[in-house]
Amino acid sequence: MEASSVVPLIIDGKDIISVTSKTHRSGRYAFHGAGSGLAVQAAESAGVAFRLWSQVAPQERRRLLLRLAQILRERRNEFERTVQEEIHSPHLWAHMDIEGGIGLLEEAAALTTQCAVGSIPSTQGDSYGLVFKDPLGVVLGIAPWNAPIFLGLRAIVAPLAAGNTVILKGSELSPRSHHLVASLFREAGFPPGVVNFILHRPQDAAGVFEAMITHSAVKKCNFTGSTDVGRIIASRAALALKPVLLELGGKNCAIVLDDADLDVAAQQITLGAFLGNGQICMCTDIVLCTQSTATVLQEKILSLIESNPQVHTLISEKSKKKLETLVADAVAHGATVHSTSCPISKAPGNTFPATVITGLTEKMQFFSIESFGPLLGIMSVDSEDDMRDVVAGLGYGLSASIFTKSHLRAIKISEGLGAGAVHVNGMTVHDEHTLPHGGQGLSGWGRFGGNWGVDEFLQTRTVILNS
């Protein structure tokens, strides 16, 4: 394998390319996988860079972030093509990925001059208490493959805006896209070591993470990915006494009340279920409705997917087998399965048709397992209270939708759902850079987005002035 065909790492501003036994191929791209030695090197480089970067004026950090946003805007077509090719992304989702990244950068730039504003609380006697906000140090950001530009940038820009340096640990399923993200910072003029970039083979994951999370320069980790991996990240970080921000999986429900506009509900549910091949943590998994609306709503949803039949390409054979298992189990427990375009069994390669499961019950595996694919279940219950109980009982808490003509009723229902975000008369897939984003329960803790996201990467320092 030629070194020129291998996606490199970036440490201290330099590409690291070496054709060794750790070179790994994923899809059409091969990449150089780091071991614990290069992981330590990345942490040390970022630690040295932090000493200077933490002293850089907020106005300069803002200038660099805005410059980066402009470069991404100018190269958006190249980035969109790479995302489409690498993760089989539909054009719409690739476009949203890039545009979301640009907005994220511009918002982070705007926050650089505000985020470190402290306070002077009242204190006893003849003294003054000054509370400062300081950056933490080196932040390890672990990004997933399914929105590689937006989520790659999200792992970096809030810590960076606050004055931290960052190691981006990219996904082996999107090495080229994540390398493009990391290389943007070098192109925009960020100093060497401020953003380092690491990839590794799946079998090296534990050793590479352990080397970085236990390094004295690394002060926090942010992770976006599955709940199962999030548990491992959190437990290993806890042993090192390092905090983590976790945005994990979701089992996202759409609640359709009896007074809802069923045309709007069907349109938004369908979009939220199948956008991005259904491989978005916020995608709608389950529709909850009462018996009185179930038949009509189901007909409207099926009509929409039949009028625009789509076969979605999944990221891997493993993902397809998971969906096939969930569908087979649902059928074995009495569900009816509706697929577009072609039967599931005849879908070629890693493709999978948009599929709806009707007659969903709690006995089926799909009821409790995040599908992460173009699979939607419809479940009818007796009452509004039953809908709340189902959502709360799932244990996840990332996103939910409520369809109703009464906004006040929706707000009241949202209080008991345990979801980080509730969308009224809109799809479950919604993440704006000005809003806090994150989950509860099995969906993680902490928040990305806006000033909430920047605060995650700052710590307070109190100075008491006595007379």
Side-chain angles (χ1 to χ4, degrees):
M1 187 181 298
E2 297 293 331
S4 60
S5 67
V6 178
V7 176
L9 314 180
I10 300 175
I11 298 177
D12 211 36
K14 302 180 180 67
D15 285 348
I16 305 296
I17 303 176
S18 174
V19 182
T20 69
S21 60
K22 291 187 180 296
T23 299
H24 181 76
R25 178 166 291 279
S26 176
R28 62 178 299 187
Y29 296 110
F31 64 85
H32 179 60
S36 58
L38 285 174
V40 169
Q41 187 178 330
E44 290 176 347
S45 165
V48 171
F50 173 71
R51 300 169 196 165
L52 296 177
W53 179 251
S54 60
Q55 301 303 311
V56 169
Q59 292 84 350
E60 176 63 6
R61 298 201 295 268
R62 178 178 61 195
R63 184 190 70 80
L64 288 169
L65 286 167
L66 290 175
R67 170 63 181 146
L68 198 155
Q70 182 58 34
I71 294 172
L72 179 55
R73 185 176 285 107
E74 293 167 355
R75 295 177 60 188
R76 59 158 62 93
N77 291 338
E78 172 196 354
F79 276 64
E80 283 186 18
R81 285 194 303 271
T82 300
V83 171
Q84 288 179 269
E85 293 170 358
E86 191 166 47
I87 68 168
H88 317 295
S89 172
H91 177 264
L92 173 61
W93 183 239
H95 177 76
M96 293 172 68
D97 190 26
I98 307 323
E99 294 302 311
I102 294 170
L104 187 71
L105 286 165
E106 292 176 338
E107 179 66 16
L111 292 170
T112 54
T113 53
Q114 307 174 32
C115 64
V117 174
S119 59
I120 309 177
S122 61
T123 52
Q124 295 179 353
D126 189 14
S127 67
Y128 289 93
L130 309 179
V131 180
F132 297 88
K133 290 184 178 181
D134 297 326
L136 304 175
V138 179
V139 173
L140 171 60
I142 305 177
W145 57 267
N146 57 323
I149 308 305
F150 177 77
L151 295 179
L153 287 169
R154 194 179 71 172
I156 301 171
V157 296
L160 216 62
N164 303 280
T165 55
V166 180
I167 304 168
L168 173 63
K169 206 294 290 179
S171 171
E172 73 277 6
L173 298 175
S174 57
R176 177 61 178 158
S177 297
H178 279 154
H179 177 265
L180 284 175
V181 168
S183 65
L184 279 175
F185 293 86
R186 183 170 53 188
E187 184 177 349
F190 284 79
V194 170
V195 176
N196 289 329
F197 174 60
I198 290 290
L199 290 164
H200 58 70
R201 300 178 304 171
Q203 61 266 40
D204 297 324
V208 170
F209 177 73
E210 189 75 12
M212 290 190 286
I213 200 64
T214 58
H215 195 284
S216 59
V218 175
K219 302 301 184 184
K220 187 168 184 173
C221 172
N222 72 74
F223 170 78
T224 301
S226 72
T227 298
D228 288 344
V229 176
R231 291 182 191 276
I232 299 171
I233 296 290
S235 62
R236 300 309 300 172
L239 289 175
L241 295 180
K242 306 289 177 72
V244 293
L245 190 170
L246 301 173
E247 199 253 89
L248 307 178
K251 192 68 182 174
N252 310 299
C253 295
I255 292 175
V256 182
L257 301 181
D258 291 348
D259 69 338
D261 183 324
L262 297 185
D263 288 318
V264 171
Q267 291 167 359
Q268 292 297 310
I269 288 167
T270 303
L271 182 59
F274 303 117
L275 183 65
N277 296 323
Q279 297 175 125
I280 306 168
C281 57
M282 297 173 285
C283 275
T284 307
D285 268 32
I286 297 176
V287 179
L288 297 170
C289 57
T290 62
Q291 296 285 354
S292 62
T293 61
T295 300
V296 176
L297 179 62
Q298 176 180 314
E299 290 175 351
K300 290 181 180 295
I301 291 174
L302 294 177
S303 176
L304 284 172
I305 65 172
E306 288 167 0
S307 65
N308 184 27
Q310 295 183 33
V311 175
H312 301 271
T313 302
L314 303 175
I315 192 65
S316 67
E317 182 182 359
K318 180 181 178 181
S319 295
K320 181 175 180 177
K321 287 183 176 178
K322 177 183 179 180
L323 296 185
E324 289 173 339
T325 298
L326 292 175
V327 169
D329 175 78
V331 171
H333 285 87
T336 302
V337 174
H338 311 262
S339 295
T340 63
S341 300
C342 67
I344 294 172
S345 60
K346 295 184 179 180
N350 292 334
T351 63
F352 199 91
T355 301
V356 177
I357 297 173
T358 57
L360 179 66
T361 69
E362 296 181 8
K363 295 180 180 180
M364 300 170 189
Q365 292 179 11
F366 176 78
F367 175 78
S368 58
I369 296 176
E370 181 186 22
S371 62
F372 214 67
L375 189 55
L376 176 69
I378 301 177
M379 182 177 186
S380 58
V381 297
D382 292 331
S383 68
E384 184 180 303
D385 288 339
D386 290 336
M387 295 180 188
R388 277 195 292 254
D389 291 343
V390 167
V391 176
L394 290 170
Y396 290 92
L398 187 58
S399 183
S401 287
I402 300 173
F403 294 92
T404 177
K405 293 177 181 176
S406 172
H407 285 169
L408 292 178
R409 187 181 180 191
I411 291 173
K412 189 64 179 176
I413 292 173
S414 73
E415 294 173 359
L417 297 183
V422 179
H423 311 283
V424 180
N425 298 326
M427 65 175 173
T428 54
V429 182
H430 187 111
D431 181 12
E432 294 190 41
H433 43 266
T434 57
L435 298 173
H437 178 76
Q440 301 178 26
L442 298 177
S443 296
W445 61 74
R447 293 294 181 266
F448 289 103
N451 59 288
W452 300 272
V454 177
D455 280 345
E456 290 278 352
F457 304 101
L458 291 165
Q459 59 190 342
T460 59
R461 171 172 49 91
T462 302
V463 177
I464 308 297
L465 301 181
N466 295 292
S467 60

